[in-house]
Amino acid sequence: MQFKKTPIYLGEFREEALEKEFYQAEISRNFNVLRLTILVVAILTFLMIVPEYYIIEDPSDFFAAFIISSFMTAALIILFIKVSKDKNWDSLIYWFTVYEIMIGLSLIYIVSSLMTMDFMIQVISVIVMILLVYLINNRWLYSIFTSLFLSISYFVFVAVFLNNVSTSDYLAAVLFIILIIFICSIASYGTNYYKRFHYLNLIELLRVAELDALTGIYNKSKFNKDYQGLTITVKQQCGHLSIVMFDIDNFKELNDQYGHLVGDAVLLELANFIQQNIRSSDIFVRWGGDKFILTFPDTHLQLAVEIAEKLRVMIGEHSFEKIGHLSCSFGVAAFKEGDELDSLVRRADERLYIAKRQGKNKVV
């Protein structure tokens, strides 16, 4: 059932945005290997000049092969620079495809026309090119197109320019290369499918690990993980960081009176209400039970108190679907030099309980 539900068609995601996101993640994960591979291929392409010098007897043919090899090397170096500097990798799909075709056609021309190798060695060279096309991290349909294009180009070249190839050898090579493309396509499809299927599972695992199951906002684990990054930013920019801890007044009595399902509905409605009334830069976390934390980056203590007061009034005025009106108590604290997460949260928690002792529905 899981496999039937996956939005994957012809080896890639149906949704273009998700496909781009996946491809960005793939390139990022294999970034160093990809750069090294491009560099190695560039060096090997240039070093092809050595065997060309000994195999190609005609000086004009060698000069043509030298120009082609130099051009391919320069093109690969340009690709290496682009991959290294440009972090938006959406267009790399097209770059890789163009490079595969360009380099493949160049090698076909050198091997078939300039080096005049035996026909079967030429066929093996084409097969190696096809295998390399499927090894490169590209879309499945693009790999099929490239391998077919290079194969057809080679056999058209052989049919037009090479007259010494027998019909039986020619047909055997065609069938053999078609079989290779078919096998590679099936294997590549399976690889592409399972990569995307596991990517969906990874996204879901990350979502479950970082989001509260009931309210859909961040959970305590996510806040613990992000806290260090927030404090580093504060220290580097000499900025401010404030947190607000709040909970629902008399939530236990509410659960006892209406039941836990109604209590859960109230928590969900409250979380949605808060999210609609805070800034996009604010971080909203369910700390546990009916207790929540709001984190305000680049916000000093007094401003955080003012925001909390506005939220307190708005919550009091809001009519909840299941129970009508309720109130919340708030404790506000600001980051101090040397604060750990526990010390900052403890101060906010202490002030929340002061608000409770002072009659609830307050900001301290």
Side-chain angles (χ1 to χ4, degrees):
M1 289 298 292
Q2 277 185 303
F3 282 99
K4 290 178 181 178
K5 291 177 182 178
T6 52
I8 304 169
Y9 181 67
L10 293 179
E12 60 185 62
F13 290 116
R14 295 174 187 268
E15 185 183 338
E16 186 65 23
L18 184 58
E19 179 65 27
K20 286 183 178 180
E21 180 186 308
F22 166 79
Y23 196 72
Q24 286 278 115
E26 277 290 289
I27 297 297
S28 180
R29 185 170 62 88
N30 300 296
F31 179 69
N32 291 328
V33 174
L34 177 63
R35 290 172 68 250
L36 179 62
T37 301
I38 295 171
L39 194 60
V40 168
V41 172
I43 294 171
L44 291 176
T45 301
F46 186 75
L47 291 177
M48 279 183 60
I49 295 171
V50 176
E52 289 168 358
Y53 176 79
Y54 290 102
I55 295 175
I56 301 174
E57 298 177 355
D58 190 311
S60 60
D61 287 346
F62 170 72
F63 182 72
F66 175 81
I67 293 297
I68 293 171
S69 298
S70 300
F71 173 77
M72 288 192 297
T73 303
L76 286 165
I77 291 173
I78 291 172
L79 181 62
F80 175 83
I81 294 171
K82 175 178 172 54
V83 172
S84 301
K85 292 188 174 181
D86 186 4
K87 298 305 179 184
N88 184 14
W89 294 309
D90 290 347
S91 62
L92 281 185
I93 298 170
Y94 311 108
W95 280 71
F96 287 159
T97 303
V98 170
Y99 268 71
E100 288 168 358
I101 293 174
M102 179 181 68
I103 293 173
L105 291 176
S106 300
L107 291 175
I108 286 172
Y109 177 72
I110 291 174
V111 170
S112 304
S113 179
L114 302 181
M115 299 181 80
T116 58
M117 289 184 171
D118 182 75
F119 176 66
M120 292 312 298
I121 295 178
Q122 294 178 20
V123 171
I124 292 171
S125 300
V126 174
I127 291 171
V128 170
M129 278 189 282
I130 291 170
L131 294 175
L132 290 175
V133 164
Y134 282 97
L135 284 175
I136 294 172
N137 194 359
N138 206 344
R139 288 186 174 181
W140 184 66
L141 288 176
Y142 286 33
S143 297
I144 294 176
F145 168 77
T146 303
S147 59
L148 287 173
F149 183 85
L150 291 177
S151 302
I152 293 170
S153 299
Y154 171 71
F155 285 116
V156 168
F157 180 86
V158 171
V160 173
F161 296 103
L162 299 183
N163 300 318
N164 58 343
V165 179
S166 66
T167 304
S168 59
D169 287 346
Y170 185 86
L171 292 176
V174 170
L175 291 173
F176 192 60
I177 286 181
I178 289 174
L179 181 62
I180 292 293
I181 293 175
F182 179 73
I183 293 171
C184 287
S185 299
I186 293 175
S188 177
Y189 178 82
T191 301
N192 277 273
Y193 185 91
Y194 282 105
K195 274 185 178 181
R196 284 159 178 80
F197 182 76
H198 288 300
Y199 181 72
L200 289 176
N201 286 338
L202 177 60
I203 291 174
E204 180 63 17
L205 285 172
L206 291 174
R207 189 191 68 81
V208 170
E210 295 183 346
L211 299 183
D212 176 59
L214 174 64
T215 60
I217 63 175
Y218 286 135
N219 58 24
K220 185 176 180 179
S221 174
K222 169 68 173 173
F223 182 65
N224 290 343
K225 187 169 66 173
D226 290 352
Y227 176 78
Q228 186 176 2
L230 290 169
T231 55
I232 289 173
T233 303
V234 171
K235 293 173 183 176
Q236 289 176 344
Q237 300 178 1
C238 298
H240 300 277
L241 174 68
S242 297
I243 70 167
V244 175
M245 177 175 281
F246 68 97
D247 67 6
I248 300 172
D249 295 328
N250 307 314
F251 185 67
K252 183 179 183 303
E253 289 79 359
L254 185 152
N255 268 334
D256 292 341
Q257 181 179 350
Y258 295 99
H260 289 281
L261 290 178
V262 172
D264 287 348
V266 169
L267 289 173
L268 178 57
E269 187 175 351
L270 176 63
N272 291 335
F273 180 78
I274 296 293
Q275 277 194 305
Q276 292 168 9
N277 290 282
I278 58 176
R279 303 168 299 185
S280 59
S281 59
D282 299 334
I283 303 169
F284 189 24
V285 175
R286 186 183 181 193
W287 196 249
D290 66 320
K291 192 170 287 186
F292 297 87
I293 283 184
L294 276 166
T295 304
F296 299 133
D298 198 26
T299 303
H300 56 74
L301 182 63
Q302 187 55 43
L303 179 56
V305 170
E306 293 173 7
I307 296 172
E309 180 62 28
K310 288 180 182 178
L311 290 174
R312 184 192 68 80
V313 173
M314 292 171 68
I315 291 170
E317 293 174 348
H318 179 73
S319 179
F320 287 81
E321 183 180 350
K322 303 288 185 181
I323 63 165
H325 293 276
L326 58 76
S327 65
C328 291
S329 298
F330 296 77
V332 188
F335 174 80
K336 296 179 180 178
E337 186 65 36
D339 257 339
E340 297 294 336
L341 175 62
D342 289 345
S343 59
L344 180 59
V345 171
R346 190 183 306 115
R347 285 205 306 277
D349 196 26
E350 288 170 353
R351 292 165 189 177
L352 169 60
Y353 281 100
I354 293 173
K356 294 287 189 183
R357 290 196 297 269
Q358 291 180 354
K360 303 177 182 176
N361 194 22
K362 291 182 180 295
V363 176
V364 173

